[in-house]
């Protein structure tokens, strides 16, 4: 059972994408890492679905996963959080700066006003379905600060953020949690905000990098420079769609197993040879798809070389190899290939502690790490 002391807060944290759902029961910490006491993840079979069919399937999976988790652990959390990933959510940041002839104190009204001004800039997001918005970073005279109020500066820079959400998936998530855990309205966050939050907090030495968030049927790509997202793109290609194309007439789940073995150089059967041949034929198509996305982003400004990959655990080694092997050097600032690093639960080991017996899950580690950081900042 969760601690009843004031040092912790018992919550449920969900991680929702378009092919899987993760549920975790967590004890948050006011000063240290969060503790994951129990977790469950369920995955949909890989098959063709429309957006509406996919939303319906994910909501049914969420209900099944939640029902199974509540029965297995008999836990009643005090609060509910859900990290909702692409393609259900989109994200952007906008920056604005204001200069003064003389140093003046920064007031509590100044930061929200500048954030509102920043977000008034044109955007592709759906203004009627904004999920979250706020201030990501503040800099005074060019230097980031976490507590700007009352300090004096001749220039203040505000990086604001906002994300929108598919209304069908939002409605479904709210309804499922309302059914099983009434009286606790879930707090929803975008997947990209979760990634940015944990990367900024726990991998602070990298100041310019590409985030590749590969979901089931979509990939989100964010370019981060000095703590702000300067470019963002999303394409309808993800791990599940790639596996389906590689599989051809074969069973996609078997292909995943073979891809994992190929990435570890432990696959030598005829089936593995067939997968290799299929990859050789289809990989140029993937390279073209991602190359077009990178070209669009690089048209404004060439990309950093370092890339952080967030992807389903079973496919992450193969995807890291793909992004490292394919020559995307023409889009980078140094004209060198991407230096790809896969985000794992180990990256967040100082932020999230997994109870002995639970299976580490990078998606849930990211979600829980984000929630813990944001709760500590309140």
């Amino acid at each position: 059972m969760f601690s009843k002391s004031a040092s912790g807060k018992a919550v449920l944290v969900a991680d929702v994408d378009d092919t899987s759902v993760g549920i975790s029961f967590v004890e948050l910490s006011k000063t240290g890492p969060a503790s994951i006491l129990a977790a469950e993840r369920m995955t949909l079979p890989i098959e063709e679905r429309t957006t509406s069919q996919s939303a319906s399937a994910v909501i049914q999976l969420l209900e099944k996963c939640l029902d199974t988790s509540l029965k297995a652990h008999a836990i009643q959390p005090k609060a509910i959080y859900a990290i909702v990933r692409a393609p259900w959510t989109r994200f952007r940041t906008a920056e604005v700066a204001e200069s003064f002839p003389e140093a003046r104190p920064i007031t509590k009204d100044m930061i929200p006003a500048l954030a509102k001004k920043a977000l008034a800039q044109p955007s592709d997001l759906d203004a009627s379905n904004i999920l979250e918005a706020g201030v990501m970073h503040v800099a005074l005279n060019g230097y980031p600060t976490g507590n700007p109020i009352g300090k004096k500066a001749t220039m203040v820079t505000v990086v604001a953020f906002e994300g929108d959400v598919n209304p069908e998936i939002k409605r479904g998530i709210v309804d499922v949690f309302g059914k099983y855990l009434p009286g606790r309205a879930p707090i929803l966050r975008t997947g990209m905000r979760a990634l940015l939050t944990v990367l900024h907090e726990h991998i602070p030495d990298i100041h310019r990098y590409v985030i590749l968030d590969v979901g089931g049927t979509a990939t989100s790509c964010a370019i981060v420079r000095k703590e702000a997202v300067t470019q963002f793109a999303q394409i309808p290609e993800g791990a599940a769609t790639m596996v389906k194309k590689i599989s051809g007439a074969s069973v996609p789940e078997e292909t995943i197993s073979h891809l994992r073995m190929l990435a570890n150089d432990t696959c030598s059967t005829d089936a593995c040879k067939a997968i290799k041949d299929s990859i050789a034929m289809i990989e140029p198509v993937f390279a073209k798809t991602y190359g077009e996305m990178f070209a669009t982003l690089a048209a404004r400004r060439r990309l950093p070389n370092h890339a952080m990959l967030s992807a389903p655990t079973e496919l992450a080694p193969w995807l890291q190899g793909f992004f490292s092997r394919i020559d995307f050097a023409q889009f980078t600032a140094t004209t060198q290939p991407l230096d790809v690093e896969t985000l794992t639960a180990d990256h967040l080991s100082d932020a999230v502690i997994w109870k002995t017996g639970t299976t580490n899950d990078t998606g849930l580690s990211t979600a829980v790490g984000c929630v813990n950081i944001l709760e500590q900042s309140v």
Side-chain angles (χ1 to χ4, degrees):
M1 293 296 291
F2 287 113
S3 167
K4 300 294 184 180
S5 69
S7 62
K9 182 180 180 182
V11 303
L12 182 152
V13 179
D15 180 49
V16 181
D17 61 32
D18 58 342
T19 55
S20 75
V21 169
I23 295 286
S24 61
F25 296 104
V26 182
E27 186 175 273
L28 300 181
S29 170
K30 291 183 178 180
T31 57
S35 298
I36 297 181
L37 305 184
E40 178 87 29
R41 183 173 291 277
M42 294 184 178
T43 303
L44 292 171
I46 297 176
E47 58 186 53
E48 294 287 345
R49 299 181 183 90
T50 65
T51 299
S52 183
Q53 288 171 338
S54 181
S56 177
V58 168
I59 293 307
Q60 290 177 27
L61 189 69
L62 173 63
E63 182 165 4
K64 179 180 178 182
C65 191
L66 179 60
D67 182 62
T68 300
S69 298
L70 289 172
K71 287 177 178 177
H73 303 291
I75 294 170
Q76 289 295 315
K78 298 176 183 176
I80 302 166
Y81 299 84
I83 303 300
V84 187
R85 301 179 181 269
W88 309 123
T89 57
R90 296 179 298 173
F91 185 88
R92 72 158 178 145
T93 63
E95 181 178 317
V96 69
E98 185 170 343
S99 298
F100 316 110
E102 297 179 355
R104 66 170 60 175
I106 305 303
T107 66
K108 65 178 182 179
D109 297 327
M110 191 180 296
I111 304 302
L114 287 173
K116 184 177 180 180
K117 182 178 179 181
L119 294 176
Q121 299 172 31
S123 167
D124 293 331
L125 300 191
D126 183 353
S128 62
N129 286 296
I130 296 299
L131 179 64
E132 58 177 349
V135 175
M136 180 159 282
H137 303 296
V138 177
L140 301 182
N141 297 333
Y143 295 95
T145 176
N147 300 291
I149 308 304
K151 296 179 180 177
K152 291 186 176 182
T154 57
M155 183 177 72
V156 56
T157 304
V158 172
V159 178
F161 72 89
E162 66 178 351
D164 66 0
V165 64
N166 175 293
E168 186 176 355
I169 204 78
K170 178 184 178 182
R171 183 167 55 251
I173 291 172
V174 171
D175 287 348
V176 167
F177 282 117
K179 174 181 176 181
Y180 284 85
L181 296 167
R184 283 152 286 188
I187 299 169
L188 276 58
R189 308 289 190 200
T190 62
M192 186 55 68
R193 186 187 182 191
L195 280 169
L196 288 167
T197 299
V198 298
L199 288 173
H200 171 68
E201 186 77 12
H202 297 287
I203 311 180
D205 296 334
I206 305 174
H207 302 291
R208 294 173 177 81
Y209 56 95
V210 178
I211 294 178
L212 288 164
D213 184 18
V214 182
T217 63
T219 296
S220 298
C221 182
I223 312 303
V224 180
R225 292 185 175 92
K226 295 182 179 179
E227 305 173 357
V229 175
T230 59
Q231 293 129 282
F232 181 85
Q234 193 173 100
I235 58 171
E237 188 74 272
T241 56
M242 295 172 84
V243 166
K244 190 168 180 60
K245 290 171 184 175
I246 293 171
S247 300
S250 301
V251 178
E253 284 71 21
E254 292 180 0
T255 299
I256 292 174
S257 178
H258 291 135
L259 286 171
R260 186 166 55 245
M261 289 189 290
L262 283 172
N264 296 325
D265 199 24
T266 59
C267 195
S268 58
T269 65
D270 289 342
C272 286
K273 184 180 183 303
I275 293 296
K276 285 183 179 179
D277 293 341
S278 179
I279 290 174
M281 292 181 62
I282 198 67
E283 202 167 71
V285 176
F286 298 152
K288 181 176 184 293
T289 299
Y290 283 99
E292 289 174 348
M293 178 184 72
F294 290 142
T296 300
L297 292 168
R300 176 180 169 187
R301 186 177 176 184
R302 296 178 75 88
L303 312 181
N305 274 90
H306 195 86
M308 292 297 301
L309 171 66
S310 173
T313 302
E314 65 275 12
L315 285 173
W318 176 74
L319 286 166
Q320 179 173 336
F322 167 77
F323 286 113
S324 300
R325 185 175 63 257
I326 300 300
D327 187 8
F328 294 122
Q330 60 185 304
F331 307 117
T332 66
T334 63
T335 65
Q336 296 294 313
L338 289 172
D339 177 16
V340 184
E341 181 179 358
T342 299
L343 180 67
T344 68
D346 289 341
H347 282 99
L348 306 176
S349 59
D350 60 341
V352 178
I353 298 172
W354 286 78
K355 181 183 176 182
T356 302
T358 55
T359 301
N360 288 13
D361 180 298
T362 304
L364 282 171
S365 284
T366 303
V368 171
C370 170
V371 170
N372 200 47
I373 291 167
L374 294 179
E375 283 295 308
Q376 288 177 350
S377 66
V378 173

